[in-house]
Amino acid sequence: MEKLLRSTNVKKLYLLIRPKRGVETAGRLEALLQSSVFDTLKKLDPGVLDKVEAVNGDITEEDLGIDDVDRQKLIENVNVVFHSAATVRFDEELKKSVAMNIEAVASIIQLAKEMKHLVSIIDVSTAFCNCERAHIDEKIY
């Protein structure tokens, strides 16, 4: 997210965020944006984080748990989808693993098919990528 905001002229970044441990979606986004990873970005462009908007949802729910208003907003405005949500726990309950790692992808693809301006879907999987390397640079190997 920081890299996208820093190195592109993205108009808007919608983040699917689920409520967790009594903290609502907006609160989770606010906490995320307070992370030190954004400090340099905030100094370079103080208003850049205004481009980030939380969408309440959950990848394990039907239709990603997104309400009709937010769903329509995504359909009308999104042109690139990044999917990076998953579980990599080997002891995860099978039903939960299937919901997160398989069914969620199908739901994202279904939503993407409805997006009027979609150019690309990027599925990000870091689990065990380049695991033989001690350090992974920000480049394509």
Side-chain angles (χ1 to χ4, degrees):
M1 195 173 92
E2 188 276 342
K3 173 79 172 177
L4 282 171
L5 291 168
R6 179 172 36 88
S7 62
T8 70
N9 190 21
V10 65
K11 182 178 173 182
K12 191 72 152 173
L13 247 169
Y14 297 102
L15 297 180
L16 183 69
I17 301 175
R18 66 182 166 89
K20 185 176 177 184
R21 295 188 190 113
V23 180
E24 293 300 316
T25 299
R28 292 193 67 204
L29 175 61
E30 186 178 324
L32 172 66
L33 296 178
Q34 295 304 315
S35 170
S36 62
V37 74
F38 298 106
D39 288 350
T40 301
L41 189 58
K42 288 181 208 175
K43 288 176 188 171
L44 293 172
D45 184 355
V48 73
L49 296 182
D50 294 337
K51 294 179 176 185
V52 181
E53 183 177 325
V55 173
N56 187 54
D58 186 328
I59 64 167
T60 63
E61 293 182 17
E62 185 176 340
D63 294 328
L64 303 170
I66 301 171
D67 68 28
D68 291 339
V69 172
D70 282 337
R71 185 176 189 85
Q72 196 58 41
K73 186 186 314 180
L74 297 176
I75 288 169
E76 296 292 333
N77 295 298
V78 170
N79 56 16
V80 178
V81 173
F82 285 86
H83 170 55
S84 61
T87 182
V88 294
R89 291 181 52 181
F90 292 112
D91 61 347
E92 189 74 78
E93 179 184 329
L94 183 59
K95 185 175 182 174
K96 189 172 184 178
S97 289
V98 168
M100 293 178 77
N101 294 349
I102 298 171
E103 293 170 358
V105 175
S107 295
I108 289 163
I109 291 169
Q110 182 56 48
L111 175 58
K113 286 179 178 179
E114 297 177 49
M115 292 176 174
K116 296 179 179 180
H117 307 287
L118 187 70
V119 175
S120 182
I121 300 175
I122 296 98
D123 187 66
V124 180
S125 177
T126 56
F128 315 108
C129 293
N130 297 302
C131 58
E132 75 283 1
R133 299 178 184 274
H135 177 78
I136 300 173
D137 291 316
E138 196 169 310
K139 69 176 192 174
I140 297 173
Y141 286 91

